[in-house]
């Protein structure tokens, strides 16, 4: 019985093995035939070159789509209007492709690193669009923008064609290898198809990497070009037509894909008052409010701008607002209700240097915080260090911490320009008082970030009982003073009382950064102890230190980079050659204003720039715009370049805040070298000052330079309305395509348009702000 069963089982296993072997062969043959048919049909009816060309022609597979969140934000700010249709579908496709790339490169948030100032060598690269000239008619601007898009798209198409040819050869080789391997080894055709799919995916990844490298290269060219524009743009501003023609060629070469006017000409705006707790004194990016509505006031709080743009207008004071008292009477009295604030009453009661007299705040001439008067205080400093000659070798001074403004007011009579730094939230309300009196002041936190100034520009820095603890936190605040102080410059520290521990810490710290103490005396009349230090002028003294703490900064660290840049715990090396800025002390004032040292490039063009602005100011601004300059004291140049506008107003009874946009060439050192003052700023954010601070705002081609940079350019106009006093003036020079919609926006704000003038595609708009609030 067992033998038949054994034989039967053996027979069954043989049959089963034969069947399995036969079935595997049939399946393998079927798969091979199916794979060969697939390859044949793919090669005949669906050429790979077409597929690759389609992908690279659209770039939709490697570009980031515009988020719907961004669309919602924009639509919430500007009423929805139909976009202008392109001339044809081809241009529409190109502009869409370029627009996505534009938003990735230029639509990002402001950089918070020191990369916005490159070496001049990086600016030697030129792009195709640099030689393009401006169209003669305003109607041709859109065609010019589309032409720039075509040029860029042609470049992309040429690159894609080269990639297509290369990849087509690779695909054919892959197909050949696949066919041979199928015949010889009988490999599964589906596996080859998967391999081909993976190859195509890898090609897509390569395309993304190439696109990323291209975008990064464009960014480097833009940044490098910006540095080279320090020379080019200075001469570009020589004449309005020359400046903009030169500027247009740069914009066309840099962007190659302008997206149209900065403002939507079809938009309509409705305005509401802001409802912040700081009310009429609201300073965006500095005043913080939580979701619960509580105002957070932290001493030395870092600057932080709100995520959503503030599409509202700051209200006027509750008791009303009147036209400020004109200069020079404002030095001795101002209208109290224009600067009214709960904190201000406490300061008035503390001393006799500010007195409430009816509706005015008065400032007695012989009263100041230092006993004996401010004039005695200044004379005592000159006696301590005879090398200090106010108004001659000392022209530009920074006063840390705003107090009674008597220091800057007295120095102004000696031709010294003092910029007061109001530290939020120490005595910040007195910074508003200083601006109302007609003295230069800015409001900024001073915590862990650098101040918005270049390196080595202030002749002297003054601190009279100011609040920063210089010796704490590794002495970073004092190291920052060392950065912005000119080689050989003076640091004046006045203290009423201090401890032995603080004195020892300051002595150790100043010795570690090689400051030489020139004097340490106590004035018997004012009972104030004055320590007067001087910054070294040569690098060898740093090598003589026993302890190299703080260390020297690395050579690749830019000492001028300061916008959202942290304070570095290191010392930048001092200039050593005559071609470097800071090796020589500037000429005495006023010769300093028209002197251009060797380190300035294109001195002839700088001289021509000064003559150009003198002609504009004397022949147009002072006589042709209807402005009563006797009521103008606080002036801001929103895009100053070399300070030519401010220099032309030097004989007028005004002071000018020269603002250098952070994305522009770093020309602010030139401004300070000429004996003028200024700051870095990003106009996509709010400026560090109180509402109603300035009598006149000047913007020369500011908006055209900001084209497609700010996500919501309307906030720039709102910021202008915030910082300009009612009755103040705005002078705007730009392209007509920008001025036309800008005029409508200003009219919606109830600004009175006093004068408009246009020639070809350039124009000027002069408007006056009114008391209107919604």
């Amino acid at each position: 019985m067992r033998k038949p069963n054994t034989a039967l089982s053996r027979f069954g296993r043989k049959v089963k093995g034969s069947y399995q072997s036969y079935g595997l062969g049939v399946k393998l043959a079927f798969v091979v035939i199916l794979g060969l048919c697939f390859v044949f049909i793919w090669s005949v009816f669906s050429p790979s070159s077409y597929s690759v060309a389609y992908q690279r022609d659209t770039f939709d597979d490697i570009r980031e789509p515009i988020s719907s969140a961004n669309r919602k934000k924009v639509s919430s700010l500007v009423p929805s209007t139909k976009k202008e249709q392109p001339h044809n579908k081809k241009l529409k496709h190109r502009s869409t492709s370029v627009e996505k790339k534009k938003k990735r490169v230029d639509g990002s948030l402001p950089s918070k690193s020191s990369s916005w100032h490159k070496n001049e060598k990086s600016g030697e690269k030129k792009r195709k669009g640099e030689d393009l000239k401006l169209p003669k008619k305003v109607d041709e601007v859109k065609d010019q923008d589309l032409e720039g898009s075509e040029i860029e798209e042609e470049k992309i198409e040429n690159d894609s064609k080269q990639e297509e040819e290369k990849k087509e050869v690779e695909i054919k080789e892959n197909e050949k290898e696949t066919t041979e391997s199928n015949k010889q080894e009988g490999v599964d055709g589906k596996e080859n198809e998967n391999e081909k799919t993976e190859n195509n995916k890898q090609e897509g990844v390569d395309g993304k990497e190439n696109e990323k490298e291209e975008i990064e290269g464009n960014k480097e060219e833009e940044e490098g070009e910006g540095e080279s524009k320090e020379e080019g743009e200075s001469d570009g501003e020589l004449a309005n037509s020359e400046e903009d023609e030169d500027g247009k060629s740069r914009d066309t070469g840099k962007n190659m894909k302008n997206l149209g006017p900065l403002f939507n000409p079809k938009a309509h705006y409705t305005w509401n008052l802001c409802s912040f707790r700081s009310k009429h004194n609201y300073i965006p990016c500095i005043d913080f409010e939580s979701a619960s509505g509580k105002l957070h006031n932290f001493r030395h709080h870092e600057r932080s701008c709100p995520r959503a743009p503030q599409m509202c207008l700051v209200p006027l004071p509750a008791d009303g607002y009147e036209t400020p008292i004109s200069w020079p009477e404002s030095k001795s009295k101002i209208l109290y209700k224009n600067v009214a604030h709960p904190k201000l009453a406490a300061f008035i009661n503390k001393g006799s240097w500010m007195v409430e007299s009816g509706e005015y705040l008065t400032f007695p001439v012989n009263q100041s915080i230092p006993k004996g008067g401010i004039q005695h205080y200044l004379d005592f400093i000159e006696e301590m260090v005879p090398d200090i000659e106010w108004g001659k070798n000392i022209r530009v001074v920074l006063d840390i911490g705003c107090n009674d403004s008597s220091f800057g007011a007295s120095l102004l009579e000696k031709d010294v320009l003092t910029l007061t730094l109001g530290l939020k939230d120490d005595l910040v309300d007195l910074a508003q008082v200083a601006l109302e009196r007609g003295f230069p002041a800015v409001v900024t936190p001073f915590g862990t970030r650098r101040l918005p100034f270049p390196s080595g520009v202030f002749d002297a820095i003054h601190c009279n009982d100011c609040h920063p603890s210089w010796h704490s936190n590794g002495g970073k605040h004092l190291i920052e003073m060392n950065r912005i102080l000119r080689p050989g410059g003076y640091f004046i520290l006045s203290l009423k009382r201090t401890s032995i521990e603080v004195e020892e810490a300051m002595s150790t710290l100043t010795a570690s950064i090689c400051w030489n103490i020139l004097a340490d005396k106590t004035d018997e009349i004012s009972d104030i102890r004055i320590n007067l230090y001087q910054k070294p002028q040569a690098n060898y003294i740093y090598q003589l230190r026993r302890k190299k703490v703080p260390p020297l900064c690395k050579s690749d660290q830019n000492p001028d980079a300061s916008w959202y840049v942290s304070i570095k715990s290191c010392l930048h090396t001092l200039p050593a050659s005559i071609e470097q800025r800071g090796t020589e002390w500037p000429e005495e004032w006023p010769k300093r204003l028209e002197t251009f040292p060797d380190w300035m490039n294109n001195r002839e063009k700088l001289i021509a720039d000064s003559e150009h602005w003198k002609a504009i100011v004397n022949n147009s601004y002072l006589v042709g715009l209807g402005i009563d300059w006797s009521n103008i004291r606080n002036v801001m140049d929103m895009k100053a370049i070399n300070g030519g506008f401010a220099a032309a107003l030097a004989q007028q009874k005004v002071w000018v805040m020269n603002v250098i946009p952070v994305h522009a060439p770093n020309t602010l050192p030139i401004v300070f070298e000429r004996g003028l003052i200024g700051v870095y700023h990003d106009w996509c954010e709010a400026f560090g000052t109180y509402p109603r601070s300035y009598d006149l705002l000047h913007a020369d081609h500011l908006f055209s330079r900001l084209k497609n940079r700010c996500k919501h350019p309307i906030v720039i106009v709102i910021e202008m309305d915030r910082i300009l006093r009612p009755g103040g003036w705005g002078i705007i020079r730009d392209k007509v395509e920008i001025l036309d919609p800008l005029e409508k926006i200003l009219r919606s704000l109830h600004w009175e348009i006093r004068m408009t003038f246009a020639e070809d595609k350039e124009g000027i708009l002069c408007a006056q702000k009114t008391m209107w609030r919604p």
Side-chain angles (χ1 to χ4, degrees):
M1 295 298 291
R2 294 180 179 177
K3 291 182 180 180
N5 290 338
T6 304
L8 184 62
S9 62
R10 289 178 180 175
F11 177 78
R13 286 195 296 269
K14 289 182 180 180
V15 172
K16 186 178 181 179
S18 300
Y19 174 78
Q20 291 177 350
S21 176
Y22 177 78
L24 179 63
V26 172
K27 289 181 179 179
L28 185 61
F30 178 79
V31 169
V32 171
I33 294 172
L34 183 62
L36 293 175
C37 293
F38 178 84
V39 172
F40 176 78
I41 294 173
W42 176 269
S43 61
V44 173
F45 296 98
S46 300
S48 60
S49 60
Y50 175 80
S51 177
V52 174
Y54 175 76
Q55 292 176 4
R56 293 299 171 260
D57 186 59
T58 62
F59 278 82
D60 290 334
D61 58 334
I62 63 176
R63 293 185 183 277
E64 296 179 358
I66 302 174
S67 63
S68 60
N70 290 340
R71 288 196 184 97
K72 291 180 180 180
K73 288 181 180 180
V74 175
S75 62
S76 65
L77 297 178
V78 181
S80 59
T81 54
K82 294 183 179 180
K83 296 182 179 179
E84 296 182 4
Q85 298 296 332
H87 294 283
N88 52 54
K89 293 183 179 180
K90 186 176 180 181
L91 289 179
K92 179 180 180 181
H93 162 71
R94 289 177 177 176
S95 62
T96 302
S97 174
V98 175
E99 181 178 355
K100 291 181 180 179
K101 181 177 177 183
K102 178 68 179 179
K103 287 185 178 294
R104 291 181 62 189
V105 177
D106 293 335
S108 58
L109 290 174
S111 174
K112 297 185 180 182
S113 65
S114 60
S115 61
W116 55 277
H117 287 315
K118 294 282 186 179
N119 293 331
E120 293 183 0
K121 294 182 180 179
S122 63
E124 295 176 358
K125 295 182 180 180
K126 294 185 178 180
R127 304 185 64 180
K128 291 182 180 180
E130 277 194 51
D131 295 329
L132 294 178
K133 299 298 183 182
L134 280 172
K136 294 183 179 180
K137 296 181 180 180
V138 179
D139 296 337
E140 299 176 7
V141 174
K142 295 180 182 178
D143 296 335
Q144 182 75 9
D145 296 340
L146 294 174
E147 182 181 354
S149 299
E150 289 180 348
I151 295 174
E152 179 68 16
E153 187 65 21
E154 288 176 2
K155 179 181 178 182
I156 296 174
E157 290 178 354
N158 292 333
D159 295 340
S160 63
K161 287 181 181 179
Q162 294 178 359
E163 293 179 3
E164 291 166 13
E165 295 175 355
K166 181 179 179 180
K167 293 172 184 176
E168 186 176 353
V169 174
E170 292 178 355
I171 292 174
K172 289 182 178 179
E173 292 179 354
N174 291 335
E175 292 176 356
K176 186 176 180 181
E177 291 177 359
T178 302
T179 304
E180 293 178 354
S181 61
N182 287 339
K183 290 180 179 179
Q184 295 177 2
E185 301 177 1
V187 180
D188 193 341
K190 291 184 178 180
E191 294 178 355
N192 290 309
E193 182 180 356
N194 293 335
E195 290 177 1
K196 288 168 60 180
T197 304
E198 292 177 357
N199 290 335
N200 291 337
K201 289 181 178 180
Q202 183 64 33
E203 292 170 4
V205 173
D206 293 339
K208 288 183 179 181
E209 293 176 352
N210 294 334
E211 179 70 6
K212 183 178 180 180
E213 292 174 358
E214 181 180 357
I215 292 175
E216 291 177 352
N218 291 342
K219 286 183 178 181
E220 292 177 358
E221 288 184 11
E222 290 173 13
E223 293 172 350
E225 188 177 29
E227 187 67 21
S228 64
K229 281 165 62 179
E230 180 172 344
E231 299 178 14
E233 185 148 13
S234 61
D235 64 327
E237 299 287 330
L238 300 183
N240 191 33
S241 58
E242 286 184 14
E243 184 277 337
D244 200 63
E245 185 173 336
D246 195 21
K248 177 66 177 181
S249 66
R250 289 193 189 91
D251 288 346
T252 306
K254 180 173 63 176
N255 297 328
M256 282 289 197
K257 39 197 174 294
N258 289 329
L259 305 182
L262 186 69
F263 302 104
N264 188 347
K266 297 182 180 180
H268 299 280
Y269 300 92
T270 57
W271 305 103
N272 297 313
L273 290 179
C274 300
S275 58
F276 301 111
R277 287 177 60 88
S278 10
K279 298 179 181 178
H280 58 279
N281 287 329
Y282 177 61
I283 308 178
C285 304
I286 295 181
D287 288 341
F288 305 96
E289 298 199 12
S290 64
S292 61
K294 294 182 179 180
L295 182 65
H296 293 280
N297 288 328
F298 297 115
R299 181 172 175 267
H300 293 162
H301 200 303
E302 296 294 349
R303 175 185 174 92
S304 178
C305 295
R307 294 182 179 180
Q310 304 299 321
M311 291 292 295
C312 60
L313 305 181
V314 175
L316 296 176
D319 295 334
Y321 184 85
E322 293 186 12
T323 302
I325 297 174
S326 301
W327 182 268
E329 188 180 358
S330 62
K331 288 193 297 183
S332 58
K333 71 176 182 178
I334 59 175
L335 289 167
Y336 190 4
K337 65 179 181 180
N338 286 358
V339 295
H341 193 277
K343 283 186 177 181
L344 187 58
F347 291 121
I348 294 174
N349 297 330
K350 285 183 178 180
S352 60
W353 55 271
M354 181 167 52
V355 179
E356 182 179 359
S357 178
E359 61 178 347
Y360 300 103
L361 283 179
T362 61
F363 307 90
V365 178
N366 297 326
Q367 297 294 331
S368 63
I369 289 181
K371 294 180 181 179
I374 191 64
Q375 187 59 49
H376 169 75
Y377 177 77
L378 296 175
D379 293 340
F380 184 71
I381 293 175
E382 282 190 301
E383 292 176 2
M384 293 171 61
V385 182
D387 289 341
I388 294 180
E389 296 180 304
W390 302 115
K392 295 182 179 179
N393 65 334
I394 304 298
R395 162 64 182 176
V396 183
V397 175
L398 180 67
D399 190 14
I400 302 294
C402 187
N403 224 317
D404 66 345
S405 305
S406 61
F407 180 78
S410 297
L411 285 180
L412 189 62
E413 298 176 358
K414 300 177 180 291
D415 283 336
V416 175
L417 194 56
T418 304
L419 176 60
T420 300
L421 194 69
L423 303 180
K424 183 70 174 179
D425 269 316
D426 292 335
L427 301 177
V428 68
D429 301 297
L430 298 185
Q432 187 180 24
V433 172
L435 287 164
E436 189 74 11
R437 294 179 66 184
F439 301 129
V442 291
V443 180
T444 180
F446 187 24
T448 62
R449 295 173 184 160
R450 287 179 170 179
L451 297 175
F453 307 112
S455 62
V457 291
F458 287 101
D459 304 333
I461 299 176
H462 176 255
C463 170
N464 181 18
D465 219 12
C466 57
H467 289 272
S469 299
W470 302 110
H471 61 284
S472 62
N473 197 19
K476 282 190 174 182
H477 288 151
L478 200 65
I479 292 176
E480 174 64 2
M481 296 296 99
N482 182 79
R483 182 186 71 89
I484 63 178
L485 190 61
R486 182 181 299 278
Y490 304 94
F491 183 78
I492 306 169
L493 179 61
S494 302
L495 298 172
K496 290 184 178 180
R497 57 184 65 88
T498 185
S499 63
I500 298 177
E501 291 78 8
V502 172
E503 291 181 5
E504 292 178 351
M506 279 295 297
S507 178
T508 302
L509 179 59
T510 54
S512 67
I513 62 177
C514 301
W515 280 11
N516 181 27
I517 182 165
L518 301 179
D520 181 2
K521 295 183 180 180
T522 300
D523 181 26
E524 296 179 356
I525 297 178
S526 62
D527 195 24
I528 293 179
R529 182 177 180 179
I530 301 177
N531 295 335
L532 211 155
Y533 304 91
Q534 186 177 28
K535 180 180 176 179
Q537 295 177 280
N539 289 310
Y540 75 89
I541 194 170
Y542 293 144
Q543 306 301 329
L544 299 178
R545 297 180 299 168
R546 294 182 179 180
K547 295 181 180 181
K548 303 299 187 294
V549 179
L552 295 179
C553 298
K554 297 180 180 179
S555 58
D556 60 347
Q557 291 181 334
N558 188 354
D560 292 338
S562 59
W563 189 249
Y564 285 104
V565 176
S566 300
I567 298 175
K568 310 299 181 183
S569 297
C570 61
L571 304 175
H572 289 281
T573 55
L574 302 173
S577 61
I578 194 172
E579 292 81 10
Q580 293 179 290
R581 172 174 60 89
T583 53
E584 294 183 350
W585 198 272
E587 295 285 344
E588 291 186 356
W589 182 264
K591 186 178 180 181
R592 174 176 180 172
L593 184 65
E594 302 297 338
T595 302
F596 303 97
D598 293 333
W599 62 267
M600 294 186 188
N601 297 321
N602 297 326
R603 285 188 292 173
E604 294 181 357
K605 294 180 179 179
L606 292 175
I607 295 173
D609 177 54
S610 295
E611 296 300 325
H612 161 69
W613 281 111
K614 284 181 181 179
I616 289 180
V617 169
N618 294 331
N619 300 331
S620 178
Y621 289 179
L622 296 180
V623 296
L625 300 182
I627 299 176
D628 183 3
W629 284 86
S630 63
N631 295 326
I632 303 298
R633 173 60 184 171
N634 302 352
V635 179
M636 175 185 286
D637 192 356
M638 301 176 69
K639 189 175 76 69
I641 310 293
N642 302 310
F645 171 71
L649 290 173
Q651 301 302 320
Q652 303 298 318
K653 296 179 180 180
V654 302
W655 65 271
V656 180
M657 176 63 72
N658 295 277
V659 180
I660 302 299
V662 294
H663 66 280
N666 183 21
T667 56
L668 192 52
I670 297 178
V671 172
F672 276 94
E673 191 75 11
R674 303 182 69 179
L676 306 171
I677 57 174
V679 294
Y680 295 122
H681 183 62
D682 186 349
W683 280 113
C684 298
E685 300 181 5
F687 190 81
T689 190
Y690 271 91
R692 305 170 301 279
S693 295
Y694 288 89
D695 302 310
L696 187 143
L697 301 178
H698 180 254
D700 179 37
H701 290 83
L702 170 70
F703 293 96
S704 58
R705 293 296 187 271
L706 292 174
K707 196 170 188 177
N708 303 321
R709 173 177 171 81
C710 303
K711 289 185 177 180
H712 309 292
I714 184 64
V715 298
I716 306 173
V717 185
I718 297 175
E719 180 65 4
M720 294 175 66
D721 183 82
R722 186 185 73 88
I723 66 178
L724 189 64
R725 292 172 173 173
W729 295 77
I731 304 175
I732 305 168
R733 304 164 65 93
D734 223 304
K735 299 180 177 66
V736 173
E737 65 171 344
I738 290 177
L739 294 181
D740 285 344
L742 180 59
E743 180 180 348
K744 295 180 181 178
I745 297 174
L746 294 179
R747 289 186 184 278
S748 71
L749 292 169
H750 291 247
W751 285 30
E752 295 182 0
I753 308 301
R754 297 298 186 181
M755 190 273 290
T756 59
F757 175 79
E759 184 176 358
D760 294 332
K761 56 184 172 42
E762 296 294 329
I764 182 173
L765 187 154
C766 182
Q768 187 177 22
K769 179 182 173 182
T770 64
M771 290 280 186
W772 177 84
R773 294 285 94 171

